[in-house]
Amino acid sequence: MKLKISGLTKTYKNGVMALDNVDLEIGAGMFGLLGPNGAGKSSLMRTISTLQSPDSGEIHFGDINVLNNPMALRKVLGYLPQEFGVYPNMSAERLLNYFAQLKGISSKEDRKKIIKEVLEVTNLWDVRNKSVSGYSGGMKQRFGIAQLLLNNPKLIIVDEPTAGLDPAERHRFLNVLREIGANHTVIFSTHIVDDVRELCREIGILNGGKILYRGTPTDAEAQLDGKIWMRIIERSELDDFARDFNIISSNFNQDNTLNIRVYSETQPNETFVMAKPQLEDVYFVTLKNDRL
Ligand code: ADP
């Protein structure tokens, strides 16, 4: 089923325009919504999830007119918000059983079956008897996924799930998403470019409430072919280079020199070498120029 968003606009009471005429079509698979803090990602996620209303625009998921019929969407939605409250001191298995009852799965056998399935897919089966309140951040996030999978949602929305996770937990979490993305429509927001590079078939880059790029990571990188240049400079030279060239990123080396990457249609000068475009270049160029 396709999610179709058109002309979505939202200005908060304080005057901040969080969504500015957003048009977006999202099909089956993993969709990565990439943008810096304050870009409007959560506003978009909350609006699709029917937790807040836009000022104008439309959202359709398959046959469902989401803004006219929010209850119909909620029935097929699994939403993991950015902050997911405090969990009671109860084992994962018992808590899932409780949530499954709330979600109306009345047969004990059905509950047992689905709970086993969601614990396995989120790699929590071995710790199912441990209290969720004692879980690590990454385990809690995976538990959040287990919980939303209980009623077999058709549309899954996860808002910045990797923020604050250590690298190992982040990796484990992304693997769980990868598995789920194979047979669900998943929208996943993040400000971490590495999160989306391998995981997402399609990405959108959002900033200032606007979709600035929409397509595959590979196509985006290809658009920058021959336009990314790099060289090493001394730290003290950075200001001069920043004035003369369009620097899109700089990274320290161990000896206190910097690798700089520059965006330019032609070789900036003979000291620069051409670099293979990476998704991070796509992200920074798009944010800087308001388009790719
Ligand atoms: P992101 O999820 O990408 O960090 P948000 O959607 O949370 O972005 O925020 C987009 C902009 O809207 C930010 O400038 C933020 O401060 C503002 N904003 C978000 N929620 C509210 C709100 N409830 N009231 C007023 N301003 C808000």
Side-chain angles (χ1 to χ4, degrees):
M1 275 209 279
K2 242 194 192 131
L3 180 72
K4 274 191 188 176
I5 296 169
S6 51
L8 208 63
T9 296
K10 174 74 179 182
T11 303
Y12 290 111
K13 286 202 182 74
N14 59 2
V16 173
M17 191 174 200
L19 298 174
D20 184 357
N21 203 11
V22 171
D23 293 325
L24 203 54
E25 262 194 51
I26 297 175
M30 276 295 279
F31 181 84
L33 183 69
L34 191 59
N37 288 333
K41 300 184 296 299
S42 291
S43 299
L44 183 57
M45 304 296 223
R46 286 196 304 260
T47 310
I48 302 169
S49 307
T50 77
L51 290 172
Q52 67 180 50
S53 307
D55 300 329
S56 56
E58 292 195 15
I59 308 175
H60 293 264
F61 181 61
D63 295 339
I64 303 171
N65 181 331
V66 175
L67 299 176
N68 289 351
N69 194 357
M71 282 316 289
L73 185 84
R74 286 176 204 166
K75 282 192 188 130
V76 296
L77 174 76
Y79 172 60
L80 184 68
Q82 210 171 352
E83 292 291 332
F84 203 76
V86 180
Y87 285 104
N89 185 10
M90 207 191 270
S91 79
E93 198 168 27
R94 273 190 64 205
L95 198 52
L96 286 174
N97 189 48
Y98 170 73
F99 285 135
Q101 280 172 323
L102 287 185
K103 289 184 187 213
I105 308 171
S106 51
S107 141
K108 201 173 167 185
E109 278 310 302
D110 288 352
R111 284 202 303 273
K112 221 174 152 178
K113 184 162 167 279
I114 183 79
I115 288 169
K116 184 159 194 280
E117 255 173 58
V118 302
L119 283 169
E120 278 174 351
V121 86
T122 53
N123 276 321
L124 291 170
W125 177 252
D126 292 346
V127 288
R128 67 188 181 280
N129 294 321
K130 294 217 162 91
S131 165
V132 180
S133 58
Y135 275 5
S136 69
M139 288 158 85
K140 278 185 182 144
Q141 287 297 65
R142 281 184 279 136
F143 181 82
I145 295 287
Q147 188 211 321
L148 69 77
L149 286 176
L150 284 173
N151 57 337
N152 193 20
K154 301 283 175 283
L155 175 65
I156 295 175
I157 295 185
V158 277
D159 195 0
E160 298 241 19
T162 58
L165 300 189
D166 71 33
E169 282 181 332
R170 189 175 139 248
H171 191 71
R172 235 173 272 134
F173 185 84
L174 293 178
N175 278 337
V176 168
L177 278 193
R178 192 190 314 276
E179 194 153 324
I180 293 165
N183 42 21
H184 291 88
T185 297
V186 183
I187 310 177
F188 153 55
S189 81
T190 181
H191 61 271
I192 304 170
V193 177
D194 280 347
D195 278 356
V196 301
R197 184 184 288 118
E198 283 173 28
L199 203 58
C200 300
R201 203 171 43 80
E202 303 253 12
I203 61 166
I205 299 178
L206 185 73
N207 198 22
K210 287 194 173 81
I211 298 286
L212 304 178
Y213 174 79
R214 165 82 179 84
T216 67
T218 330
D219 284 348
E221 286 167 359
Q223 282 193 42
L224 291 184
D225 256 342
K227 297 178 187 170
I228 302 296
W229 305 86
M230 67 181 186
R231 64 159 286 178
I232 296 173
I233 63 168
E234 295 297 325
R235 186 184 183 159
S236 56
E237 297 175 302
L238 183 60
D239 286 348
D240 287 346
F241 273 83
R243 199 182 49 236
D244 297 341
F245 302 102
N246 192 0
I247 297 181
I248 51 168
S249 63
S250 58
N251 288 299
F252 276 108
N253 298 311
Q254 282 182 344
D255 59 1
N256 226 13
T257 59
L258 286 166
N259 278 334
I260 56 168
R261 292 172 84 85
V262 161
Y263 173 76
S264 170
E265 299 276 336
T266 54
Q267 187 178 23
N269 69 34
E270 64 284 2
T271 65
F272 283 87
V273 292
M274 193 186 285
K276 190 177 175 321
Q278 293 171 354
L279 196 57
E280 201 169 69
D281 299 322
V282 168
Y283 182 57
F284 289 132
V285 168
T286 305
L287 293 187
K288 208 163 175 175
N289 299 344
D290 267 352
R291 64 181 184 84
L292 185 57

